[in-house]
Amino acid sequence: MNGLRVLSAFVAVGLLVGCEVEILNDLDQQQANEILDVLGRSGIAAERKRVESGSRAAYTVSVSRGDASQAWALLRQQGLPRRRHAGLAEVFGKPGLVPTPTHEQAMLRRAIAGELSQTLQSIEGVHSARVHVVMPKKDRFQVDEKPRAPRAAVLISAQRNAAVDEAQVKRLVSGAVDGLTADAVNVVILRGQSAAPTPAAEGQGAQLASVGPFRVAVGSRAPLAATLLFAVLVIAALVFLSYLLVRRTRQLEASLAQTRRANEAALDGSLSLIAGSIGSRR
């Protein structure tokens, strides 16, 4: 019983050391791939899993328990996962009541802003982007009033060394909205820290390390080594317990066979005595 308790403790500790932790869920494929790329370049091994939910597919990202805190800090620094903005397909693809002209204009404005936000977020080094488009409503009863031009405001959060330029952002946004000029686009760019250097850039050598026959990320080397060690100990304990069980079984079989032979001999002797007693009486 004590041996089984020790074995259970070894198994529990080994599972705690080597298990994976799900750090993100409900991601689309692009978000999951971007997160795997960032974690891999920083030496953190991650796994992506596809989860089916009806007709919709989502993804989860898991890392080893020992890398969870480092992965969270890195993703927070990189502004990941990026927020998914509703574009034309999402806004106009939803079934509903027949929209009014005002509702249609609001939906179009939201869809254009979402498409522009997604485009800006695709620039390397941009953490997040928000675009607000203002399209003044035309009054049909005021003929002499000069129509007001549309306006836009853009807020971008990016790395300090991100290749994003205010003039380029203005040209991009103004080119996507009819009647919008570059001068009517206000751009605010918030620059934070530079991208986290990879182990190779820091002179730490290759990002993969060897643990026996396996090649793993540097950050996962210690957990995997500990897991392999516990696996070896568990296998050795199982082999030892199996040996003791087989030895005990053979001892019991030998004892039973000896007892059976002794009982058979005693029975044969009793039968002989009974037969001899019957013959002498006759």
Side-chain angles (χ1 to χ4, degrees):
M1 183 64 67
N2 291 333
L4 292 176
R5 290 178 179 177
V6 174
L7 178 60
S8 301
F10 274 118
V11 173
V13 174
L15 291 175
L16 288 176
V17 173
C19 68
E20 291 186 342
V21 178
E22 183 179 295
I23 59 173
L24 291 170
N25 55 29
D26 198 23
L27 303 172
D28 59 31
Q29 188 173 12
Q30 181 179 353
Q31 290 173 326
N33 290 340
E34 187 174 10
I35 289 170
L36 288 181
D37 178 63
V38 170
L39 294 178
R41 286 189 284 109
S42 298
I44 300 176
E47 182 181 0
R48 181 193 68 182
K49 295 181 180 179
R50 180 185 174 96
V51 180
E52 299 288 346
S53 179
S55 60
R56 178 176 176 272
Y59 294 85
T60 63
V61 174
S62 303
V63 299
S64 64
R65 187 175 295 274
D67 293 334
S69 59
Q70 182 182 356
W72 265 115
L74 177 63
L75 294 178
R76 188 164 53 248
Q77 179 184 349
Q78 299 291 327
L80 296 174
R82 304 182 193 277
R83 181 178 177 180
R84 181 74 177 176
H85 299 277
L88 291 169
E90 291 80 6
V91 173
F92 290 96
K94 297 179 180 179
L97 299 177
V98 178
T100 63
T102 302
H103 189 199
E104 283 185 344
Q105 187 181 27
M107 292 172 61
L108 178 61
R109 185 168 58 247
R110 178 190 172 192
I112 293 175
E115 293 285 345
L116 288 171
S117 299
Q118 292 183 32
T119 301
L120 292 173
Q121 284 184 173
S122 65
I123 300 175
E124 185 176 0
V126 173
H127 298 326
S128 62
R130 295 294 302 274
V131 179
H132 302 273
V133 179
V134 179
M135 296 180 179
K137 183 180 178 181
K138 296 181 180 179
D139 193 346
R140 295 178 298 175
F141 300 100
Q142 295 182 0
V143 181
D144 297 335
E145 183 181 359
K146 183 179 179 180
R148 291 175 295 175
R151 307 185 309 275
V154 181
L155 175 63
I156 297 176
S157 175
Q159 298 172 3
R160 187 174 304 170
N161 57 349
V164 55
D165 180 71
E166 181 177 346
Q168 294 177 350
V169 173
K170 287 186 175 184
R171 288 198 298 269
L172 174 66
V173 175
S174 62
V177 180
D178 187 23
L180 180 62
T181 62
D183 295 335
V185 180
N186 294 324
V187 179
V188 176
I189 301 177
L190 303 178
R191 297 186 182 272
Q193 298 180 353
S194 301
T198 61
E202 295 178 344
Q204 295 182 5
Q207 299 180 20
L208 298 179
S210 298
V211 180
F214 302 101
R215 296 282 293 172
V216 298
V218 176
S220 302
R221 181 177 183 178
L224 180 58
T227 303
L228 292 176
L229 176 60
F230 277 106
V232 172
L233 292 176
V234 168
I235 293 174
L238 290 175
V239 171
F240 180 71
L241 290 177
S242 300
Y243 167 75
L244 292 180
L245 181 62
V246 171
R247 182 178 178 182
R248 181 61 178 170
T249 302
R250 290 179 177 177
Q251 290 177 350
L252 290 175
E253 290 177 351
S255 177
L256 290 174
Q258 184 178 2
T259 302
R260 184 170 59 254
R261 287 195 296 269
N263 291 335
E264 290 176 353
L267 180 61
D268 291 340
S270 299
L271 292 176
S272 299
L273 290 175
I274 294 174
S277 176
I278 294 174
S280 62
R281 289 179 181 180
R282 289 180 180 179

